[in-house]
Amino acid sequence: TIEVTAAKTITLAESGSVFILKAAVGVQINLPSLTAGFNCRFITGLAFSANNWTIVSTTNVIQGVANVDGDSLPAVNENTISFSATAESLGDYVEIKCDGTNFYVSGSGMAAGSILFTAP
């Protein structure tokens, strides 16, 4: 388990890690290059009052779905996962797995808008 309190670039050596997001202000986390077998989990571990926490891929290869406030939120060819600074709850999470071509995401957010998937 790794507590994240500042901007970070995830390394391939950190595959299998659980990252606890613990800062009052959200920051950007960069995913590593696409590599088969890479996986990790991000969990909201502290309420944050400003700026979304973002998890970013360099390309639009985030696919999957999260359960957000009881609804399915699809991710199709996205590059950013956001935990919203206005709707996050402790324990909201996303899990990422990679097959070398895409990052596959699943997760759960308690409140509407707590997790967002976007592409530029």
Side-chain angles (χ1 to χ4, degrees):
T1 302
I2 299 170
E3 289 190 4
V4 182
T5 59
K8 178 171 182 56
T9 296
I10 305 297
T11 66
L12 291 174
E14 293 173 308
S15 181
S17 295
V18 174
F19 297 95
I20 308 295
L21 310 180
K22 282 199 159 185
V25 177
V27 296
Q28 181 170 310
I29 299 170
N30 297 308
L31 292 170
S33 60
L34 292 162
T35 302
F38 174 82
N39 67 90
C40 63
R41 178 177 264 219
F42 298 91
I43 302 172
T44 301
L46 180 72
F48 45 101
S49 58
N51 300 337
N52 294 347
W53 278 91
T54 57
I55 302 162
V56 180
S57 170
T58 57
T59 56
N60 298 345
V61 293
I62 297 174
Q63 321 292 343
V65 65
N67 181 327
V68 179
D69 189 33
D71 292 323
S72 293
L73 177 68
V76 179
N77 299 326
E78 312 292 0
N79 80 332
T80 302
I81 302 165
S82 299
F83 287 95
S84 176
T86 59
E88 89 290 349
S89 297
L90 295 181
D92 289 350
Y93 75 92
V94 294
E95 187 169 271
I96 298 172
K97 297 181 179 184
C98 184
D99 66 356
T101 303
N102 290 291
F103 288 115
Y104 296 99
V105 64
S106 61
S108 182
M110 192 177 305
S114 58
I115 297 173
L116 306 167
F117 301 123
T118 55

